Amino acid sequence: MDITLSVIKADVGGYVGHSSSHPDVIQKAKESLERAKEQGLLIDYYVTACGDDLQLIMTHQQGEDSEQIHKLAWDTFVGCTDVAKRLKLHGAGQDLLSDAFSGTIKGLGPGVAEMQFTERTAETIVIFMADKTASGAWNLPLYKIFADPFNTIGLVIASNMHSGFTFEVHDVLKSKKITFNAPEETYDLLIFLGSPSRYALKAVYHKESGEIAASSSTQRLALIAGRYVGKDDPVCIVRSQGKFPAVGEILEPFASPNIVKGWMRGSHHGPLIPVSFREARAIRFDGPPRAIAAGFQLANGKLIGAADLFDDPSFDLARQQALAMADFLRRMGPFEPHRLPLEEMEYTTMPEVSKKLASRFQNI
Ligand code: F6R
Ligand code: MG
Ligand code: MG
C-alpha cells in the first residue's frame, strides 16, 4: 500500500509568550483534520505541539506536494490563528507569511517534511520535532544515524544496511541540491553538513534499494521573509527497523547533546535537549532548544501511537549534560560564541547602532 506521510508545522501563536501552545489551538487543529479524515482526504492524523510550534502529522494517498494536503494544512493554521487571536496569544499567525494560499504551502512560512513509500509489513516511524532552533539542526544526528558506525552498529553488522546510505544536501542560500554516498564520500559530505545554516540535509535514501529513509524540513523563515520573524523549528521523519536503523540507533545521537543555533531571539548557540512531550516547553532564556521524538507503527496508513520516545531515564544524563552546557554558554551573555556571529544574527540592533555612531568612527 502506497502511503504519503506529511508533517507540516507552524508557530501560529504562543502560550505563554513563545514558550508553549494553548490546548484550544491544538483542539482546533484536531477538529479540522478530523473533518478531512471524515471526507476521505486523510487516512489518519496526529496533532501535537513542540513548544510554540503546532505539528500536523498526516497520512494520505495524495503523494508529496499535494495541493489538497497543503491547502488543508494552510486552512488549519489559519483557523488556529483565529483561535490564537481570540485568546490574544503571543505572535498569533507568526509563521503565516502570506495572505493567501497559492498551490503549495512551501515558501509561505510553515515547515514541511514529506515522504511517500510502500508500507512494509511492519512500518516503524520516528518523527523528531524541535523548538527554538534552525533548519539544519538535524544534520549532525542524521549523519550519526545513517553514516557513523560508532552510533549505528547496524551499518557494520546488518547485511541489509552494510552498503550504506545516500544523502541529499540542500544549499539553502542558492537553492541547489547535491547527493553523496556514505561511507565512500563521508569526508566530502561532512564539509557541507558541518555548516548547517547554509547546507541542510533534506533526505536520506537506502543506497541499495533507493528507498526513502529520512526526510526533514529545510525551510528557512528568515530567508523567506527577508527579516527575523521566528525560528524554523524543523521537523524530521525517519523510517526505522529492517533495512533502516533500529529505533535505538535513531535515538542514540541524542544521548550526547550537540549545540545548535536558536534559543533566545533566534540569536544564540545552545544545546539541543531531548525531552518528553510534557517537557517540550521553552522556558529558561526562552529555551534551551529542545527536541521531542514521536514513535509510530503504521497500519494501512493508520498512525498507531504516538510513543513518547525521549520519556526515558536513559536520556536523563544527556539532559543533565545539556543543562551544564547551557550554563557554560549563558555565562558569556552577549558575547560570541554564545551569541551568534554578526553575519548569522537574525535579530540585531547593529545597523541602527552603527548608523547612530557613524560620525564618531575615525580612521586608524
Ligand atoms: C525565539 C523566540 C523568542 C523571541 C523572544 C522575543 O525563537 O521565539 O526567544 O524571539 O521571546 O519575542 P518578541 O519579539 O515576540 O517579543
Ligand atoms: Mg513563537
Ligand atoms: Mg517555535
Side-chain angles (χ1 to χ4, degrees):
M1 181 177 186
D2 257 19
I3 297 288
T4 307
L5 175 57
S6 300
V7 183
I8 307 188
K9 51 81 47 186
D11 176 348
V12 294
Y15 164 73
V16 174
H18 291 279
S19 67
S20 188
S21 300
H22 194 280
D24 290 3
V25 173
I26 297 172
Q27 181 55 31
K28 180 77 180 174
K30 285 182 181 164
E31 286 163 14
S32 167
L33 299 194
E34 181 62 34
R35 269 196 306 277
K37 186 175 164 180
E38 281 163 13
Q39 288 159 4
L41 179 58
L42 294 184
I43 300 175
D44 205 4
Y45 67 89
Y46 184 87
V47 176
T48 189
C50 181
D52 58 4
D53 290 274
L54 179 63
Q55 318 280 350
L56 312 179
I57 299 171
M58 300 170 284
T59 52
H60 54 88
Q61 293 194 294
Q62 313 298 317
E64 294 175 34
D65 287 319
S66 152
E67 179 167 349
Q68 270 182 298
I69 298 296
H70 284 205
K71 182 162 192 323
L72 168 65
W74 179 261
D75 291 344
T76 302
F77 290 139
V78 169
C80 292
T81 299
D82 291 341
V83 175
K85 283 186 175 156
R86 203 170 64 234
L87 298 173
K88 294 188 74 176
L89 299 183
H90 189 65
Q94 154 180 315
D95 287 359
L96 307 188
L97 303 178
S98 166
D99 293 333
F101 178 80
S102 54
T104 171
I105 203 163
K106 288 182 178 163
L108 303 184
V112 185
E114 294 184 293
M115 56 164 71
Q116 185 176 357
F117 50 82
T118 306
E119 188 181 294
R120 296 170 290 164
T121 313
E123 184 67 55
T124 306
I125 302 276
V126 177
I127 301 176
F128 292 110
M129 298 162 253
D131 189 31
K132 303 293 178 270
T133 188
S135 293
W138 310 121
N139 282 16
L140 192 155
L142 283 174
Y143 174 80
K144 284 189 171 179
I145 295 166
F146 290 102
D148 178 3
F150 282 77
N151 181 90
T152 300
I153 184 61
L155 295 168
V156 181
I157 62 173
S159 54
N160 51 8
M161 260 196 271
H162 197 72
S163 59
F165 289 87
T166 302
F167 292 71
E168 180 182 322
V169 177
H170 285 198
D171 178 339
V172 295
L173 287 186
K174 295 207 163 153
S175 293
K176 284 183 169 287
K177 64 179 178 181
I178 179 168
T179 56
F180 298 96
N181 284 330
E184 309 89 288
E185 300 180 295
T186 41
Y187 297 165
D188 291 341
L189 171 65
L190 280 171
I191 297 177
F192 295 96
L193 289 190
S195 292
S197 38
R198 170 84 186 260
Y199 299 99
L201 184 47
K202 178 65 190 170
V204 182
Y205 299 87
H206 186 261
K207 200 198 294 168
E208 242 168 28
S209 65
E211 270 193 75
I212 183 81
S215 170
S216 72
S217 64
T218 51
Q219 283 75 20
R220 289 280 304 278
L221 265 174
L223 293 179
I224 297 170
R227 65 191 156 87
Y228 182 80
V229 278
K231 263 299 167 210
D232 313 320
D233 301 334
V235 291
C236 180
I237 309 169
V238 186
R239 292 173 82 192
S240 179
Q241 306 296 149
K243 64 160 81 88
F244 304 114
V247 169
E249 291 168 331
I250 291 169
L251 302 179
E252 182 63 7
F254 295 88
S256 37
N258 59 298
I259 290 179
V260 295
K261 296 175 209 303
W263 207 346
M264 175 59 83
R265 298 181 186 272
S267 302
H268 294 81
H269 284 116
L272 184 61
I273 311 187
V275 293
S276 66
F277 296 171
R278 195 180 56 80
E279 288 169 336
R281 297 173 300 134
I283 309 253
R284 181 184 175 192
F285 198 55
D286 282 5
R290 50 199 73 203
I292 57 173
F296 296 94
Q297 292 294 142
L298 287 192
N300 303 314
K302 273 193 77 66
L303 289 154
I304 311 302
D308 184 354
L309 297 172
F310 286 142
D311 184 14
D312 184 304
S314 63
F315 288 99
D316 283 352
L317 189 58
R319 289 188 263 268
Q320 287 307 313
Q321 285 173 353
L323 296 181
M325 288 155 83
D327 252 9
F328 286 146
L329 288 164
R330 280 300 302 128
R331 277 176 213 170
M332 300 196 68
F335 282 76
E336 299 173 12
H338 178 31
R339 203 213 67 197
L340 297 188
L342 270 186
E343 58 277 13
E344 289 187 27
M345 275 223 294
E346 291 167 353
Y347 206 119
T348 175
T349 49
M350 190 61 146
E352 280 166 44
V353 177
S354 302
K355 200 169 154 201
K356 192 177 77 186
L357 300 180
S359 62
R360 287 170 53 185
F361 271 99
Q362 299 181 4
N363 293 334
I364 300 171

